[in-house]
Amino acid sequence: MGLAKRIIPCLDVDNGRVVKGVQFVDIRDAGDPVEIARRYDREGADEITFLDITATSDNRETMAHVVEQVAGEVFIPLTVGGGIRELADISRMLKAGADKVGINSAAIFNPEFVKEAADRFGSQCIVVAIDAKCVSANGKPKRWEIFTHGGRKETGIDAIEWAKKMVSHGAGEILLTSMDRDGTKIGFDLELTSAISDAVDVPVIASGGVGTLDHLVDGVTKGKADAVLAASIFHFAEYTIGEAKQHMQDHGIEVRL
Amino acid sequence: MATVAVIDYGMGNLHSISKALKSVSPDSDVVISADRDTILSADHIVFPGVGAIRDCMSAIKAKGLDETIKQASKNKPILAICIGMQALLEHSDENGGVECLGLIPGNVIKFPSNSTDDQNNKLKIPHMGWNNVNYLYKNPLFNGISQNERFYFVHSYHASKVENKYINATSEYPETFPSALKWNNILAVQFHPEKSHGAGLQLLKNFLNWDGKS
């Protein structure tokens, strides 16, 4: 009895289409985000995150339409990230039916933006997305810094300090992606995740590196994450969300089944 | 045609709740409104809310909606959600202390920081995600909803010092707090039925079928 740990499938969307291949037998159009969201909802996803990976202005309009369609029939929390740069972007996504927005590089360019957004729309809908990479030499105490542009550009900002600052600015949740692990399928960076989770009072979503269901368990038990986000293990139908939840429950984690 | 008024005081996202209401009752006319007559003439009234209490209360008062809500509370079935529920109590500690509508006796306090669960993990604030709702007695609003069903919550403050007769359901984080209050024709829930999948939709459906009397 108590608050469940959340499983959040993430859809990378480019120009209205889910980018990574999706191999579901019961889906007619494997690239349609609405159809995939519907399926994740049926399987018991606790929330769904849409990531607009190109985030041009045309694309954002397309994204708003996707969210609008999904929100009309899927009644769980929806988060939209990618290209959220101004209050008007947030407003548009909330109007379309999103419950939260993910702010990433706009927070780095202008940390005050997070404060303005939280003041205007409430902390509950402001998720700050942090892309972190380990920068310490082997054998030295671990240190992580924030990177932008898909992990290619360093900022010199310490990840733990940044997370604390974002929470003090009003972030209601942190979406933490390890750029070292993203796409590797070798599991979350558990040290990074637990360091950030210990440093802040708000929930932390672990992301980057999930390849097996045990990785999801580790993210919660060792990484102290409040929620786990994954894309490819669900997209390629390696596992259903139901299987993932059952596995977590079998390992003593409270989930919504 | 039955009408449902969603009270619009200019805060937050009313689209989710309207879409959810429309989905469970396609034949109802769901109107988002700040107009006194429109609200008072509706068959059911939903009082939603997100954000911080001070802004909510000042927006409610600026639009004269405090009087409208008080008027409606005399006889219309009302569903208050999240901050809407908190606004019905007397006083909230949020934002340095804010006087609320006082339709139900009780206060709103913050979850204590530095709480831990039984495995000694830090409990995060906001209380965000799916938690169990334990109803203390069954009424038509919980028809078809299992005991301890999970609903979606997102909040840092919760109702406190509410007399037992008003408490319909409780949840734990880690201490027990009221997650649904019911008094006469008013149901107030801390969770978001519009984001709580099947159980949430069932509760909305039950509300729209409720005459506010049973």
Side-chain angles (χ1 to χ4, degrees):
Chain A
M1 289 279 291
L3 187 65
K5 300 297 179 185
R6 289 167 281 155
I7 295 193
I8 307 175
C10 177
L11 306 180
D12 289 349
V13 180
D14 182 11
N15 200 25
R17 306 286 295 171
V18 174
V19 181
K20 291 177 184 164
V22 178
Q23 302 171 345
F24 291 138
V25 281
D26 62 342
I27 281 186
R28 276 166 293 131
D29 178 354
D32 177 10
V34 179
E35 215 170 330
I36 295 165
R38 209 180 272 152
R39 172 173 175 131
Y40 286 150
D41 175 60
R42 274 203 308 276
E43 287 183 1
D46 294 314
E47 300 185 16
I48 297 173
T49 290
F50 298 92
L51 191 60
D52 183 354
I53 60 161
T54 40
T56 58
S57 52
D58 281 358
N59 233 12
R60 275 203 295 277
E61 216 40 68
T62 314
M63 194 63 164
H65 289 305
V66 168
V67 172
E68 198 162 6
Q69 272 179 281
V70 173
E73 51 179 300
V74 168
F75 298 100
I76 57 175
L78 305 174
T79 302
V80 181
I84 303 290
R85 298 191 184 94
E86 312 170 10
L87 294 177
D89 296 328
I90 301 177
S91 183
R92 182 184 334 165
M93 287 308 171
L94 296 182
K95 279 204 176 114
D99 301 283
K100 314 184 208 180
V101 291
I103 303 176
N104 192 336
S105 44
I108 295 166
F109 298 134
N110 174 21
E112 291 301 306
F113 175 54
V114 172
K115 213 178 245 177
E116 287 164 26
D119 277 350
R120 170 90 167 267
F121 303 103
S123 289
Q124 82 290 334
C125 68
I126 306 300
V127 183
V128 169
I130 295 180
D131 293 344
K133 220 172 179 173
C134 186
V135 293
S136 46
N138 272 343
K140 297 274 181 199
K142 282 278 177 79
R143 249 195 100 242
W144 298 268
E145 284 182 3
I146 306 302
F147 280 69
T148 61
H149 297 82
R152 293 190 304 276
K153 208 166 158 187
E154 64 178 25
T155 64
I157 301 169
D158 180 83
I160 295 174
E161 291 311 312
W162 180 248
K164 287 188 195 166
K165 182 173 177 177
M166 289 297 96
V167 171
S168 73
H169 278 36
E173 198 172 27
I174 299 287
L175 168 55
L176 176 66
T177 303
S178 161
M179 300 314 286
D180 298 308
R181 298 299 177 91
D182 203 28
T184 63
K185 300 195 142 224
I186 59 170
F188 295 120
D189 182 338
L190 299 172
E191 281 180 85
L192 166 69
T193 309
S194 70
I196 300 278
S197 188
D198 281 340
V200 297
D201 283 334
V202 304
V204 172
I205 306 167
S207 157
V210 175
T212 70
L213 299 185
D214 284 335
H215 291 155
L216 299 175
V217 172
D218 290 344
V220 171
T221 56
K222 298 179 183 153
K224 303 181 192 171
D226 301 282
V228 285
L229 181 137
S232 56
I233 63 161
F234 299 130
H235 290 338
F236 295 107
E238 290 166 44
Y239 304 101
T240 65
I241 288 164
E243 285 166 347
K245 286 185 154 184
Q246 189 59 53
H247 190 77
M248 287 170 79
Q249 177 163 283
D250 292 346
H251 287 75
I253 297 171
E254 184 110 29
V255 292
R256 163 183 161 255
L257 271 178
Chain B
M1 190 195 278
T3 59
V4 191
V6 178
I7 299 179
D8 176 14
Y9 47 100
M11 298 275 300
N13 177 1
L14 305 179
H15 300 267
S16 294
I17 182 67
S18 323
K19 281 177 173 169
L21 290 165
K22 200 74 201 161
S23 146
V24 296
S25 183
D27 297 332
S28 292
D29 189 14
V30 180
V31 288
I32 298 176
S33 177
D35 175 64
R36 182 179 183 278
D37 294 342
T38 307
I39 294 168
L40 292 179
S41 65
D43 299 295
H44 288 81
I45 296 170
V46 176
F47 179 27
V50 293
I53 192 75
R54 185 183 50 215
D55 294 344
C56 286
M57 282 310 303
S58 36
I60 288 164
K61 285 183 182 159
K63 291 180 189 284
L65 287 166
D66 46 344
E67 288 312 314
T68 304
I69 294 165
K70 282 177 187 168
Q71 177 69 32
S73 73
K74 289 177 184 161
N75 53 10
K76 290 281 163 127
I78 297 179
L79 172 63
I81 298 170
C82 194
I83 292 284
M85 164 184 181
Q86 298 180 3
L88 296 183
L89 295 163
E90 292 168 298
H91 179 270
S92 172
D93 285 353
E94 193 176 6
N95 305 125
V98 173
E99 292 311 308
C100 303
L101 296 168
L103 293 174
I104 295 176
N107 293 336
V108 180
I109 61 169
K110 192 167 189 180
F111 282 111
S113 47
N114 305 318
S115 292
T116 52
D117 65 13
D118 49 12
Q119 281 149 26
N120 214 27
N121 293 313
K122 179 161 76 171
L123 290 180
K124 301 302 185 71
I125 300 171
H127 170 229
M128 185 189 284
W130 300 78
N131 205 339
N132 306 102
V133 170
N134 169 29
Y135 44 77
L136 307 183
Y137 60 92
K138 186 119 187 186
N139 62 27
L141 295 158
F142 282 93
N143 271 348
I145 295 172
S146 316
Q147 182 62 288
N148 293 320
E149 182 61 78
R150 288 184 187 275
F151 287 84
Y152 188 83
F153 289 81
V154 50
H155 61 127
S156 302
Y157 289 77
H158 66 84
S160 167
K161 294 200 179 120
V162 179
E163 274 179 67
N164 284 341
K165 66 176 178 185
Y166 300 106
I167 301 176
N168 192 170
T170 58
S171 299
E172 292 171 14
Y173 194 66
E175 279 150 38
T176 304
F177 67 92
S179 48
L181 305 176
K182 184 181 169 294
W183 189 241
N184 297 330
N185 48 308
I186 300 173
L187 176 71
V189 294
Q190 180 59 66
F191 50 83
H192 288 272
E194 75 280 16
K195 286 289 149 187
S196 297
H197 205 251
L201 296 180
Q202 182 64 46
L203 187 127
L204 292 177
K205 198 170 179 182
N206 293 344
F207 170 69
L208 294 180
N209 288 328
W210 185 45
D211 59 8
K213 294 192 177 92
S214 46

